[in-house]
Amino acid sequence: MRRMLFEKTGTAIWMSHLDTMRLMQRAFRRAGVVLHHSQGYTPHAYVSMLLPLSVGTESVCEIMEYELDAEIAITPEDMNAVLPQGVRVLRVYESDRKAKYLTELAVSLTMLYDHGVPDGAAGRISALLNSGGLYVEKRTKRGMEETDIRPMIHQTELSNEDDKIILTARISAQNPSLNPALLTAAIERYLPQDKPDFVRYRRLEVYDENGEVFR
Amino acid sequence: MNETLERILPKVQKPARYVGGEYNQTVKNKAQVDVRVAFCFPDTYEIGMSNLGMRILYAVMNRMEGVWCERVFTPWGDMEEELRKNHLPLYALESGDALSKFDMIAFSIGYEMSYTNVLNMLDLGGIPRRAADRKGLEHVVFVGGACAYNPEPLADFIDFFSLGEGEELTEEIVSLYRTAKHEGWSKEAFLLAVSKLEGIYVPSFYEHTYNADGTLQAITPLQGAPKRVTKRIMQNLDDALYPTDIIVPNTEIVHDRSNLEVMRGCIRGCRFCQAGFTYRPVRPRSPELLLRQAIELLENSGCHEITLSSLSTSDYKYLPELAQQMQDYCTPRKINLSLPSLRADNFSRELMLRLQQVRKSGLTFAPEAGTQRLRDAINKNVTEEEILETCSIAFEGGWNNVKLYFMLGLPTETDEDVLGIAELVYKILKTWREHASNKKRGVRIHVATAYFVPKPFTPFQWEKQITPEEYLRRQKLLKDNMPSKSIEYNWHASDLSRLEAVLARGDRRLCAVLEEAVNRGAKLDGWDEYFSYQTWLDSFAACGIDPDFYTTRGYGLDELLPWDVISDGVSTAFLKKERERAYRNETTPDCREQCSGCGANCLLKGGKCDA
Ligand code: SF4
């Protein structure tokens, strides 16, 4: 499978998943590459994102899959020359690892506190995320449901500064997927006094079930 | 990015439209820029980014060294609320700088129902609304676009209007401003100088006086301003800048495809259509240039769809050869070629079906009126035969979706004309029964009717608009006589079209109403989510103005009209002649068949139209 590893930062993080797909389809054309198209009245170029990214989340580990009809050499530079600011291709490669093996995601949450981090907040948050039974409203196949997200949080690490806490976590990427915003939702629910004023989300890396970097 | 903004964005719908950063946006070094222009479009990003004029003029200004033109759009209601709550001024997308940081504020206005957005955007940007309250040379506000042809409802707020095509004029305006800024002119001195440019209307240089019955008595030019301002045109469209390195939005917009402008003007002269007159005379681009531009547009944007656009693309002289060459380029690259506003004649029909674009959207016709008599009266040159013929071919080919657009309340319309719409629909239904290759799939016929709005610069500029009650009666009459329940019939609400009629033919006294409406919270009037008719009715009442004066009253043939100070090149005598022909149900030949002497040829250096 043909894949590209790319990052999405700055103004580009406000693009939706569909926007990003459209952007990439066009970027290929701008780079002079005609993708493989589906058959039918309205042929579609085949591009897919392994893990859809929420609006407002930064990422340095997005993986996109695409298909070509003919062998065309593409370099990250070719793509970067035709991409808008904030979207940058890091690697163009082929892989035989199926997307379903992408199971784990490393994320960071930069939690900002306008009036300083409450005393002991980092400790309380760390304890909370490691306790059993962490229920939040989560979208499931059956609609919104109270769900225990604790099993989807594999590892957490917190660092504390004056006005922010940085939480890095390894979380479940697929089946089930965990939106990192739900970590904030859990903090809000169980530790209302430690609720941050604003959170920046960032995807750091993707892994397989053995904890190896996934490509 | 501004941290306040960063915190707002997750709370609003479609934040991508508020951050800029798109491929091909123009960013300049502020240290090397001496004139900054905020180019405002008084509607959402999705609409504004689809606007051709805006894209052209953005390029025109940014091609000028030392000038930086940036984009500003109307924020949606949720964003506006957040901006206000957080005391964040409206900003331009490229630099993120507040409107108040700009030298010039330009608006492109094509729709009367976006007037409140103009005022609201000035407010949000921290710019005084009224021209008289902006004393210095900074924050000069000017307007171009279709609505500049009757500028009066905006006269108190705008420093000057730019009429007609802006490729050359905009550059002249900005150059003049730059001189004024360097030499420290007063605003008055600048306005005086800019009023000397051909195509510029400075409303504060004209005094309006009224008769006892409320009609205009006189428009008196002051300060040596011209008696009549004539619009500007490009003599040769091949010389007009047509940017092919245009911004590719990061998010979906209304016309999300490449757009090739094949010509300006229209040879037809439908009597209700303002653009059909104000864009005269017709001027084609050469097919060789167009093909080159098409390829550049597609290569630079990466779009997989391109539209050949104009008021009536079937009338583009070189369409057969251009369409063929375009198809040859597009097909192997899996690019869709789309042709809007095609007529139902033979060639277009064949082309339309060949391009298969009807598969997606179905066949679309705009007969506008239900009987041949009324179609003749409005000079809409489409016959029932053509429509039925096209339908039968399409039905045979497996298509089963037809959309039809009409207007109710056209001058001389009778109930017979209204019922004629139902009859035409019935004939299409019958054609389907006789010709459908696959009847099992059924047929879908959509009918839409709009409430006729008489527009300035058309032969119907003097006409009465029918009352909303009468419009609703005709609409019900049609609904009750639709031949089948399966017909989907949509009609425009009367409120918006009545208001549109008021503003379209309004005079300077409406400035107060507009301001009142904005004070009462009117905004985004073109959007059902925000339009509040009551707000407007209250504003009219508060200002003591009767909307009927501008709608159902009609304007006298000898009455001084608010827009008489402006000329689009077409003579009033010609419009009057056309009006008489309408009342005699007589058509007028198109410009290619025979020149009818409208006067627009005088805008051309040689004085001869190349229709
Ligand atoms: S002068 Fe004649 S040919 Fe030219 S636009 Fe007018 S009617 Fe048409």
Side-chain angles (χ1 to χ4, degrees):
Chain A
M1 284 155 285
R2 298 171 196 276
R3 286 191 182 145
M4 279 186 193
L5 179 74
F6 69 97
E7 61 176 34
K8 221 173 137 191
T9 59
T11 48
I13 70 173
W14 304 105
M15 271 189 265
S16 70
H17 170 64
L18 283 177
D19 290 339
T20 313
M21 301 261 284
R22 194 169 25 240
L23 171 84
M24 286 299 185
Q25 285 163 347
R26 288 186 180 166
F28 275 110
R29 282 194 182 273
R30 295 199 284 264
V33 177
V34 178
L35 294 168
H36 172 71
H37 277 63
S38 64
Q39 299 295 311
Y41 292 131
T42 47
H44 279 287
Y46 177 76
V47 166
S48 98
M49 303 292 160
L50 263 48
L51 220 51
L53 184 67
S54 311
V55 175
T57 304
E58 221 180 32
S59 175
V60 293
C61 59
E62 291 306 287
I63 298 177
M64 167 176 68
E65 227 167 72
Y66 58 98
E67 275 178 31
L68 298 175
D69 285 327
E71 204 55 47
I72 309 169
I74 314 171
T75 64
E77 292 71 39
D78 294 337
M79 292 298 285
N80 292 334
V82 292
L83 282 167
Q85 63 187 54
V87 183
R88 224 164 58 88
V89 172
L90 305 170
R91 226 187 112 191
V92 180
Y93 63 100
E94 293 203 28
S95 168
D96 49 16
R97 304 221 62 195
K98 290 209 174 100
K100 66 173 183 195
Y101 296 119
L102 192 174
T103 55
E104 196 176 56
L105 184 59
V107 293
S108 76
L109 283 72
T110 304
M111 304 192 275
L112 306 181
Y113 294 87
D114 293 344
H115 308 290
V117 178
D119 267 348
R124 283 191 296 274
I125 292 172
S126 175
L128 173 74
L129 298 176
N130 288 298
S131 66
L134 211 54
Y135 288 87
V136 292
E137 282 271 300
K138 183 180 188 301
R139 192 182 305 281
T140 69
K141 287 190 191 86
R142 293 172 296 275
M144 295 303 280
E145 254 182 22
E146 284 280 304
T147 311
D148 181 8
I149 60 166
R150 178 64 190 84
M152 303 169 208
I153 306 170
H154 304 164
Q155 210 185 79
T156 58
E157 214 180 288
L158 277 94
S159 73
N160 202 348
E161 285 172 41
D162 284 353
D163 57 350
K164 62 179 165 235
I165 292 176
I166 298 173
L167 163 65
T168 27
R170 293 263 192 122
I171 58 176
S172 175
Q174 303 190 78
N175 303 314
S177 65
L178 177 64
N179 183 338
L182 293 183
L183 296 174
T184 313
I187 295 169
E188 253 186 81
R189 179 166 196 176
Y190 291 95
L191 303 169
Q193 75 278 20
D194 296 333
K195 171 185 178 300
D197 292 296
F198 187 70
V199 184
R200 290 194 187 108
Y201 300 93
R202 186 178 168 98
R203 273 185 184 172
L204 304 171
E205 190 51 281
V206 282
Y207 301 95
D208 64 15
E209 71 280 16
N210 301 320
E212 304 282 336
V213 169
F214 178 94
R215 286 293 178 266
Chain B
M1 177 180 295
N2 177 310
E3 203 179 306
T4 315
L5 182 60
E6 185 193 3
R7 291 190 186 196
I8 289 174
L9 291 172
K11 300 187 202 169
V12 300
Q13 291 175 49
K14 304 188 198 155
R17 54 190 168 168
Y18 303 121
V19 296
E22 307 94 322
Y23 182 67
N24 271 338
Q25 72 168 2
T26 301
V27 173
K28 294 195 179 184
N29 179 350
K30 278 187 222 173
Q32 283 156 21
V33 165
D34 54 8
V35 178
R36 295 186 67 186
V37 184
F39 198 169
C40 304
F41 191 88
D43 210 322
T44 60
Y45 178 90
E46 292 88 325
I47 308 264
M49 284 302 290
S50 305
N51 184 279
L52 202 60
M54 178 138 186
R55 287 177 170 253
I56 294 173
L57 297 180
Y58 180 80
V60 164
M61 288 188 262
N62 279 324
R63 292 261 194 298
M64 297 175 72
E65 216 173 299
V67 175
W68 187 12
C69 169
E70 304 181 41
R71 297 159 297 150
V72 188
F73 300 96
T74 308
W76 193 243
D78 58 350
M79 183 63 172
E80 178 185 332
E81 201 178 302
E82 291 294 338
L83 290 175
R84 289 191 191 276
K85 213 163 69 192
N86 292 282
H87 308 290
L88 207 62
L90 185 63
Y91 56 88
L93 294 183
E94 282 78 358
S95 64
D97 287 339
L99 226 50
S100 54
K101 291 267 192 312
F102 288 78
D103 298 299
M104 309 187 85
I105 321 279
F107 280 93
S108 171
I109 315 181
Y111 182 34
E112 290 82 2
M113 299 317 295
S114 59
Y115 286 173
T116 50
N117 295 341
V118 174
L119 268 58
N120 208 19
M121 286 169 82
L122 291 175
D123 283 359
L124 282 167
I127 310 276
R129 280 178 194 169
R130 291 196 161 256
D133 295 334
R134 297 185 300 264
K135 306 267 186 230
L137 199 58
E138 72 269 12
H139 309 151
V140 164
V141 179
F142 67 107
V143 163
C147 285
Y149 284 111
N150 179 21
E152 296 310 325
L154 288 170
D156 292 351
F157 313 106
I158 307 300
D159 293 309
F160 63 93
F161 292 82
S162 159
L163 297 163
E165 295 165 12
E167 282 95 340
E168 292 169 343
L169 184 52
T170 309
E171 194 173 338
E172 292 165 23
I173 293 167
V174 177
S175 299
L176 184 67
Y177 182 89
R178 167 185 264 158
T179 308
K181 189 179 171 185
H182 284 204
E183 295 178 1
W185 298 5
S186 67
K187 180 174 177 180
E188 288 64 35
F190 171 69
L191 288 181
L192 201 60
V194 86
S195 75
K196 304 269 190 281
L197 295 178
E198 223 175 294
I200 297 293
Y201 172 69
V202 180
S204 57
F205 289 174
Y206 296 82
E207 191 179 53
H208 286 213
T209 44
Y210 300 92
N211 296 309
D213 64 358
T215 55
L216 261 177
Q217 183 182 52
I219 302 176
T220 316
L222 312 168
Q223 317 248 24
K227 261 190 127 104
R228 205 153 187 216
V229 180
T230 303
K231 78 166 183 208
R232 290 283 286 270
I233 63 163
M234 290 302 294
Q235 291 292 321
N236 181 342
L237 229 48
D238 282 0
D239 300 335
L241 173 67
Y242 197 75
T244 52
D245 52 347
I246 60 174
I247 298 173
V248 186
N250 279 347
T251 186
E252 196 170 11
I253 59 170
V254 176
H255 295 297
D256 214 358
R257 56 188 89 96
S258 292
N259 197 335
L260 195 63
E261 186 194 29
V262 297
M263 61 175 177
R264 276 188 202 156
C266 178
I267 60 170
R268 299 281 160 183
C270 298
R271 293 179 180 132
F272 56 85
C273 175
Q274 189 185 45
F277 294 96
T278 54
Y279 283 89
R280 285 185 181 213
V282 67
R283 284 147 297 148
R285 273 206 171 87
S286 66
E288 302 77 32
L289 177 64
L290 284 170
L291 184 66
R292 212 160 58 230
Q293 288 175 340
I295 295 173
E296 280 176 34
L297 273 169
L298 288 164
E299 286 182 350
N300 292 340
S301 68
C303 284
H304 68 281
E305 189 170 358
I306 185 162
T307 299
L308 302 187
S309 76
S310 74
L311 291 170
S312 172
T313 299
S314 331
D315 291 325
Y316 173 58
K317 256 187 177 174
Y318 313 102
L319 186 61
E321 51 197 285
L322 179 67
Q324 188 57 56
Q325 287 170 330
M326 292 275 297
Q327 236 191 318
D328 291 347
Y329 177 84
C330 292
T331 310
R333 292 171 180 80
K334 305 201 168 73
I335 292 166
N336 298 331
L337 174 59
S338 77
L339 300 156
S341 64
L342 279 189
R343 301 172 50 74
D345 61 20
N346 274 324
F347 171 73
S348 312
R349 179 157 59 219
E350 193 254 321
L351 188 64
M352 197 155 60
L353 299 179
R354 185 152 48 102
L355 292 175
Q356 296 214 342
Q357 62 186 75
V358 279
R359 286 261 182 215
K360 264 198 283 184
S361 54
L363 292 166
T364 303
F365 300 103
E368 310 292 0
T371 59
Q372 197 58 47
R373 201 271 320 152
L374 187 52
R375 284 195 292 272
D376 287 346
I378 62 174
N379 205 35
K380 178 81 197 189
N381 193 355
V382 51
T383 64
E384 185 174 296
E385 221 183 313
E386 283 170 341
I387 293 172
L388 295 180
E389 173 79 14
T390 308
C391 284
S392 68
I393 296 173
F395 292 148
E396 270 159 22
W399 282 265
N400 65 339
N401 194 350
V402 183
K403 285 188 195 135
L404 296 154
Y405 295 98
F406 298 93
M407 282 189 268
L408 292 179
L410 284 162
T412 77
E413 184 181 68
T414 62
D415 283 358
E416 194 183 319
D417 299 305
V418 177
L419 294 172
I421 296 174
E423 227 158 282
L424 179 60
V425 172
Y426 173 71
K427 286 180 187 155
I428 292 175
L429 208 56
K430 217 172 96 196
T431 306
W432 176 77
R433 286 199 195 108
E434 285 160 9
H435 293 271
S437 58
N438 182 358
K439 285 210 187 77
K440 273 195 229 82
R441 288 172 60 215
V443 64
R444 290 174 53 198
I445 303 177
H446 302 253
V447 176
T449 55
Y451 180 7
F452 172 64
V453 175
K455 293 270 171 139
F457 298 96
T458 69
F460 293 153
Q461 66 175 355
W462 298 275
E463 298 301 313
K464 295 175 164 66
Q465 187 182 41
I466 59 169
T467 64
E469 297 74 30
E470 175 58 15
Y471 167 70
L472 292 173
R473 188 192 67 81
R474 293 186 196 181
Q475 174 261 308
K476 187 165 179 306
L477 178 70
L478 176 55
K479 187 170 188 288
D480 292 343
N481 284 281
M482 275 297 176
S484 154
K485 290 256 177 310
S486 68
I487 311 288
E488 201 178 301
Y489 175 33
N490 298 305
W491 56 92
H492 289 199
S494 60
D495 305 348
L496 199 69
S497 305
R498 179 174 185 236
L499 204 51
E500 196 183 319
V502 173
L503 293 171
R505 292 192 294 178
D507 54 34
R508 226 167 246 205
R509 290 171 297 191
L510 290 177
C511 292
V513 180
L514 185 60
E515 190 164 30
E516 182 69 26
V518 172
N519 289 342
R520 290 171 183 260
K523 63 172 158 226
L524 294 162
D525 293 299
W527 299 84
D528 287 344
E529 293 93 323
Y530 287 97
F531 178 60
S532 158
Y533 190 46
Q534 195 55 47
T535 301
W536 279 95
L537 294 182
D538 294 345
S539 307
F540 281 114
C543 298
I545 286 192
D546 178 9
D548 286 345
F549 180 81
Y550 305 95
T551 58
T552 54
R553 176 181 73 95
Y555 290 64
L557 285 173
D558 298 320
E559 188 179 328
L560 179 63
L561 303 172
W563 54 93
D564 273 345
V565 65
I566 281 160
S567 166
D568 63 353
V570 175
S571 73
T572 309
F574 174 75
L575 294 181
K576 284 189 174 157
K577 227 164 52 202
E578 278 294 291
R579 181 180 174 276
E580 283 160 23
R581 293 178 77 98
Y583 277 94
R584 293 199 303 265
N585 305 324
E586 279 174 28
T587 59
T588 295
D590 67 57
C591 295
R592 196 163 292 160
E593 202 182 318
Q594 189 201 322
C595 170
S596 307
C598 78
N601 58 318
C602 297
L603 299 167
L604 292 166
K605 291 227 167 74
K608 221 180 141 325
C609 292
D610 170 27

